[in-house]
Amino acid sequence: NAGVMQNPRHLVRRRGQEARLRCSPMKGHSHVYWYRQLPEEGLKFMVYLQKENIIDESGMPKERFSAEFPKEGPSILRIQQVVRGDSAAYFCASSPPWALSPLHFGNGTRLTVT
Amino acid sequence: GIQVEQSPPDLILQEGANSTLRCNFSDSVNNLQWFHQNPWGQLINLFYIPSGTKQNGRLSATTVATERYSLLYISSSQTTDSGVYFCAAAGGGADGLTFGKGTHLIIQP
């Protein structure tokens, strides 16, 4: 059964490389959210997607970051040309098709940029 | 956007004690949730509670939307309750949740 599945759990990248983080929502969920958590801080909203649509990307940095949720397959958060400041835990959450419902989180991907 | 403030930032209690965690928000909300982040970093949804009162075992929550606050009650604390408790709120149906900075709870045996 599955809950929200994120992979990889840990990702190490050198400065300038690309990072790809994957998220498969819970079965029956069509809304996906990405959040970033810096050490000792709360979660910051990044982007909200439905299948093939970006609904709200107001929290995404203007450069280097992109997200998609294709018709088939997981949602992908892509960070190009990573810098040390991108090191953080990235959490994905999903919810059912109706907007006002509990959010269920994956276990996160911990990105370290060396 | 909505501002979410939580208090206290840190709380240390002995096993068996009760506690109340507070969440204030700056605007009307139609979505308010409480989460527990355990020491391994996992985020567990505790309550979806835009208004009213809910209970789940030793935990309960109350949101008074008209006064813009929510409270999380933990009774008979156990060491496994340790971690960070986050409140998160949103004012619109399609809005991403805004998280508070959390209350870091330590339950000592």
Side-chain angles (χ1 to χ4, degrees):
Chain A
N1 151 38
V4 179
M5 303 300 292
Q6 288 188 251
N7 66 80
R9 285 299 306 277
H10 301 276
L11 182 61
V12 180
R13 285 287 178 266
R14 292 198 176 119
R15 278 178 297 171
Q17 291 184 320
E18 178 179 287
R20 281 188 179 234
L21 289 61
R22 295 175 189 77
C23 169
S24 296
M26 287 179 69
K27 187 175 181 181
H29 287 191
S30 58
H31 296 198
V32 165
Y33 304 78
W34 286 94
Y35 287 81
R36 176 165 63 177
Q37 185 177 34
L38 295 171
E40 306 300 323
E41 291 192 13
L43 281 79
K44 302 292 186 189
F45 168 74
M46 299 181 76
V47 62
Y48 163 35
L49 310 105
Q50 296 177 17
K51 287 280 186 183
E52 299 185 281
N53 279 311
I54 295 175
I55 306 303
D56 179 0
E57 57 181 348
S58 58
M60 287 281 270
K62 294 288 184 274
E63 297 177 349
R64 302 189 297 108
F65 285 71
S66 62
E68 62 176 6
F69 189 15
K71 186 176 180 181
E72 300 292 336
S75 176
I76 306 287
L77 179 67
R78 182 183 178 203
I79 311 172
Q80 295 178 288
Q81 299 176 329
V82 296
V83 301
R84 287 219 173 117
D86 296 333
S87 296
Y90 291 83
F91 287 92
C92 170
S94 72
S95 69
W98 45 97
L100 299 178
S101 53
L103 216 53
H104 297 274
F105 279 90
N107 287 334
T109 293
R110 278 141 187 88
L111 173 65
T112 302
V113 180
T114 62
Chain B
I2 284 181
Q3 306 298 313
V4 178
E5 293 185 0
Q6 293 186 243
S7 60
D10 300 282
L11 188 57
I12 301 175
L13 298 171
Q14 295 296 315
E15 207 167 16
N18 302 327
S19 58
T20 300
L21 282 57
R22 187 177 180 100
C23 171
N24 292 331
F25 40 92
S26 62
D27 208 341
S28 301
V29 299
N30 60 3
N31 189 347
L32 188 135
Q33 304 189 32
W34 283 95
F35 298 88
H36 175 219
Q37 188 168 37
N38 64 25
W40 296 271
Q42 294 174 313
L43 279 157
I44 307 299
N45 190 302
L46 298 176
F47 292 104
Y48 168 74
I49 185 165
S51 64
T53 297
K54 289 186 178 179
Q55 180 155 6
N56 183 3
R58 296 182 295 104
L59 273 60
S60 63
T62 295
T63 297
V64 183
T66 53
E67 296 187 23
R68 299 185 183 169
Y69 73 88
S70 183
L71 301 174
L72 178 69
Y73 305 97
I74 305 173
S75 63
S76 305
S77 298
Q78 300 176 358
T79 55
T80 51
D81 295 331
S82 296
V84 184
Y85 288 81
F86 290 106
C87 169
D95 292 352
L97 289 169
T98 297
F99 278 72
K101 292 186 177 181
T103 292
H104 188 193
L105 177 65
I106 296 174
I107 304 298
Q108 297 178 331

